Amino acid sequence: MSNYQNIAKTKAIEKQNKNRLLAVNPKLDDKSGIYFLTRVDENQIKYAYIGQAKHILTRLAQHLVGYQHIDLSLKKHGLYIDDNRYGWNVGFLHFPLAQLDEKEKYYIKMYAQHGYQLRNKTAGGQGDGKSQIDEYRPHKGYRDGLKQGRKNLARELSHIAEKHLKIEIREDKAGNKVSQKQYQKFMELLKVGEDNQ
């Protein structure tokens, strides 16, 4: 495929994506400003992504073909339409280029304070001092999930043991030091559950 064909194909995809976005919000245009992607899932959890753009409609169309975290979420959940109530809604406000950093930071903070789970990775702005959004949304990783799973299991086991069980070393293992250590280890695991109730 020639370079000309690649450019033509890219432009056709961009035009198609702009039309998809205009179907969600017919007032979208290519002026500068802040755009808001919001959705509410089936559990009524609110999500948002706030961005700035010199050309709003073009930037939004780029999100539909990109590979950033918000781009992938747009592909997964789609845009909000009558038969996709859990898709992303699209809003925007016009601002001059000189105000974009300030306004992006302001709206990211505002949405966080109003209970939205932010999909932004930073607190906004393009210049120096761009900060991680951790101050608004704590990062949870794989190890955090494992740790929380252990706490939940320990809590459940502790509850069951307290209400229904008698835990002791078997008679034939009563003098065995390994069995005594394992008993102690098991009781410590149950204690983790009690400490976190």
Side-chain angles (χ1 to χ4, degrees):
M1 189 179 284
S2 73
N3 195 27
Y4 174 77
Q5 288 172 315
N6 281 336
I7 292 170
K9 184 177 178 182
T10 301
K11 289 291 181 190
I13 291 169
E14 182 179 292
K15 183 177 180 186
Q16 182 182 22
N17 285 334
K18 285 181 177 181
N19 288 335
R20 286 176 57 205
L21 290 158
L22 288 166
V24 175
N25 186 340
K27 294 181 179 180
L28 285 167
D29 59 33
D30 250 340
K31 294 179 183 174
S32 66
I34 302 298
Y35 59 91
F36 308 88
L37 296 170
T38 59
R39 66 181 286 269
V40 178
D41 72 9
E42 52 279 355
N43 297 310
Q44 302 306 303
I45 297 172
K46 301 183 301 185
Y47 297 93
Y49 179 87
I50 290 90
Q52 62 171 277
K54 293 179 183 178
H55 308 285
I56 294 170
L57 184 57
T58 297
R59 180 65 187 112
L60 286 166
Q62 291 169 349
H63 276 305
L64 295 179
V65 294
Y67 292 96
Q68 294 178 346
H69 54 285
I70 188 61
D71 306 343
L72 298 175
S73 186
L74 278 162
K75 289 174 187 172
K76 179 178 179 180
H77 300 289
L79 294 169
Y80 181 92
I81 50 176
D82 285 340
D83 63 347
N84 186 20
R85 300 248 177 235
Y86 303 123
W88 288 94
N89 263 308
V90 183
F92 70 97
L93 292 170
H94 289 128
F95 293 104
L97 292 175
Q99 293 180 14
L100 292 183
D101 280 354
E102 170 198 340
K103 295 297 183 182
E104 184 183 30
K105 290 175 186 176
Y106 170 81
Y107 284 108
I108 287 172
K109 187 173 182 179
M110 185 183 89
Y111 272 70
Q113 290 171 341
H114 282 87
Y116 281 83
Q117 301 290 318
L118 291 172
R119 293 294 165 245
N120 294 72
K121 292 290 185 188
T122 68
Q126 298 296 318
D128 292 335
K130 192 169 186 169
S131 63
Q132 290 296 104
I133 202 158
D134 292 343
E135 62 196 78
Y136 303 129
R137 179 173 56 94
H139 184 269
K140 296 288 184 185
Y142 175 75
R143 292 189 192 280
D144 296 314
L146 287 178
K147 186 176 178 182
Q148 187 60 49
R150 285 188 190 107
K151 287 180 181 179
N152 292 348
L153 178 61
R155 186 180 303 128
E156 185 69 20
L157 289 174
S158 178
H159 176 74
I160 292 169
E162 182 182 313
K163 299 282 185 194
H164 308 284
L165 303 175
K166 178 182 175 187
I167 301 171
E168 59 186 17
I169 299 175
R170 292 184 351 209
E171 279 185 39
D172 62 321
K173 301 283 186 174
N176 185 316
K177 290 189 186 258
V178 173
S179 296
Q180 290 171 354
K181 285 183 182 178
Q182 292 304 314
Y183 174 80
Q184 203 58 36
K185 183 178 179 181
F186 184 78
M187 297 311 286
E188 288 296 319
L189 287 171
L190 292 182
K191 191 170 187 237
V192 169
E194 291 170 357
D195 292 344
N196 290 286
Q197 287 184 0

